[in-house]
Amino acid sequence: MTVKALIFDFDGLLMDTETTLLESWRWEWRRHGLELDPAGFFADHGGDANEPRYAALAATVGPAYDRESSHALRMAYRAQLNAALEPAPGIVGWLDRAAELGLRLAVASSSPVTHVRAMLDRAGLRARFEVLATGEEVAAHKPDPAVYLLALDRLGLPAEEAVAFEDTAHGMAAAHAAGLRCVAVPNPHADGAHFTAADLLLPSAAELSLDAVLAGLARRVGSFR
């Protein structure tokens, strides 16, 4: 089966926004003279997990905690961190080669489109992606396959003609549930032991050329051609 499209997760895969998220929360805890315990910080699902984080901080700080101010200050600090981000190593090379091969590109993210589009625009990547499918458009977040199914529907392709790229285990599970093969590139905060089901596991997008990635997948599942 010919591969016609590549579908990328966004946060932690195209750009390391997972680290800026964690650092923004560390900064906010330290603003209150506290240290955030990063254990269990990253949820095992997509979408917004910040409300429990605010609740935990409020419970630690006590009655003096101002949720509205806390959110505004943290978001402003994270925006500063995000403004300095570049695409993850190797990603631009993959996107360049995909264009040369005539492969269509999509993003399937549990984050809202305002975040995804703004970050892609800032990095100069938005025009490369024909399709954006995002969290507010579906009823359930990864590991539910809904956002991948939406991306496939917008591409007008069956799962057999696309490949997903993910940085989390729950994202990989979503891709597989949608019938996609999945290349896993774990983000710095993901446990590599959770990616044993990946069709191909890489430490970085810079590890292999896109041609080598597609060839590696072909050896596992038979020729794409």
Side-chain angles (χ1 to χ4, degrees), residues 79-195:
Q80 293 177 28
L81 298 179
N82 281 344
L85 282 181
E86 299 292 338
I91 287 295
V92 172
W94 278 3
L95 300 182
D96 287 344
R97 184 57 177 152
E100 292 171 355
L101 294 172
L103 297 173
R104 300 165 67 192
L105 298 178
V107 168
S109 171
S110 289
S111 291
V113 69
T114 50
H115 167 70
V116 174
R117 183 181 288 129
M119 292 296 294
L120 290 174
D121 281 339
R122 196 203 60 76
L125 298 179
R126 174 64 187 92
R128 298 185 182 238
F129 292 93
E130 175 184 345
V131 164
L132 298 184
T134 51
E136 77 281 8
E137 301 182 280
V138 293
H141 294 142
K142 300 171 185 178
D144 190 280
V147 76
Y148 274 112
L149 295 173
L150 178 59
L152 287 167
D153 181 65
R154 288 178 174 168
L155 288 165
L157 294 175
E160 293 80 7
E161 294 183 355
V163 174
F165 293 79
E166 272 287 350
D167 70 298
T168 64
H170 58 265
M172 178 183 68
H176 281 158
L180 291 155
R181 289 156 290 184
C182 185
V183 177
V185 187
N187 71 62
H189 312 286
D191 185 348
H194 294 163
F195 292 87

Side-chain angles (χ1 to χ4, degrees), residues 62-75:
Y65 181 71
D66 183 334
R67 163 70 169 76
E68 184 176 348
S69 173
S70 178
H71 176 70
L73 289 168
R74 186 187 68 80
M75 291 298 288

